[in-house]
Amino acid sequence: MSDRPGRSRIPELSAIPWEGPKAITQYARVGRDLCRDLGEELALGSDELYEVLIRSFKGHPLLALVGAPDVRRRAKRVVKRLKRAAELQKGAGVELVKFHAQFRKEFVDVLPQANPERRTTSFNWEDD
């Protein structure tokens, strides 16, 4: 995968070399932890943002002019997107656990009998 200009990779994940089952386990674990942390931050941020919006714009004359004096309704619509992003991060963490389980099912339990050490590769099957 090539780096695109203006975008950087996540160092916690990109620093893990694909050298064996332990690396895949570590990648899944670190990725899951990052998703959990980001999901929790987004959920907390949505709660904080809701309170800030309510406090900042309650009774704002411009909002009353456009026909929607209900600041709470507008704030709920805004933070709903942030809460949805938090839920998606939780789902991404679950998928990383499933990724790891699928790898073990498809490769670790099958390929050691296929004698992968005869192939020229830097992937070390013995590091599990």
Side-chain angles (χ1 to χ4, degrees):
M1 182 191 274
S2 65
D3 289 336
R4 288 180 258 166
R7 295 193 177 220
S8 61
R9 295 182 65 186
I10 298 170
E12 294 90 343
L13 293 175
S14 64
I16 300 171
W18 298 108
E19 294 178 340
K22 282 186 181 178
I24 291 174
T25 300
Q26 182 183 8
Y27 193 89
R29 186 174 293 131
V30 170
R32 180 199 64 204
D33 292 344
L34 287 170
C35 288
R36 285 180 178 172
D37 291 347
L38 183 55
E40 187 62 30
E41 176 58 37
L42 293 172
L44 290 172
S46 70
D47 294 338
E48 291 173 1
L49 178 60
Y50 180 77
E51 295 302 321
V52 167
L53 291 173
I54 297 298
R55 188 173 49 247
S56 299
F57 291 103
K58 190 168 183 124
H60 193 280
L62 183 59
L63 286 177
L65 284 177
V66 294
D70 189 2
V71 175
R72 291 183 191 278
R73 185 176 66 222
R74 286 176 171 266
K76 282 182 184 178
R77 282 190 291 210
V78 170
V79 297
K80 178 176 83 172
R81 301 296 178 179
L82 206 50
K83 288 183 186 229
R84 187 174 293 160
E87 288 298 318
L88 290 171
Q89 287 303 310
K90 288 179 187 176
V94 169
E95 285 302 316
L96 283 163
V97 171
K98 290 179 181 180
F99 150 73
H100 180 255
Q102 192 72 36
F103 166 75
R104 301 213 43 99
K105 177 183 173 187
E106 301 292 341
F107 289 98
V108 173
D109 296 337
V110 176
L111 287 187
Q113 292 86 12
N115 220 354
E117 61 273 357
R118 289 186 186 168
R119 297 182 195 110
T120 57
T121 180
S122 63
F123 197 86
N124 180 8
W125 287 97
E126 304 300 322
D127 79 345
D128 190 24

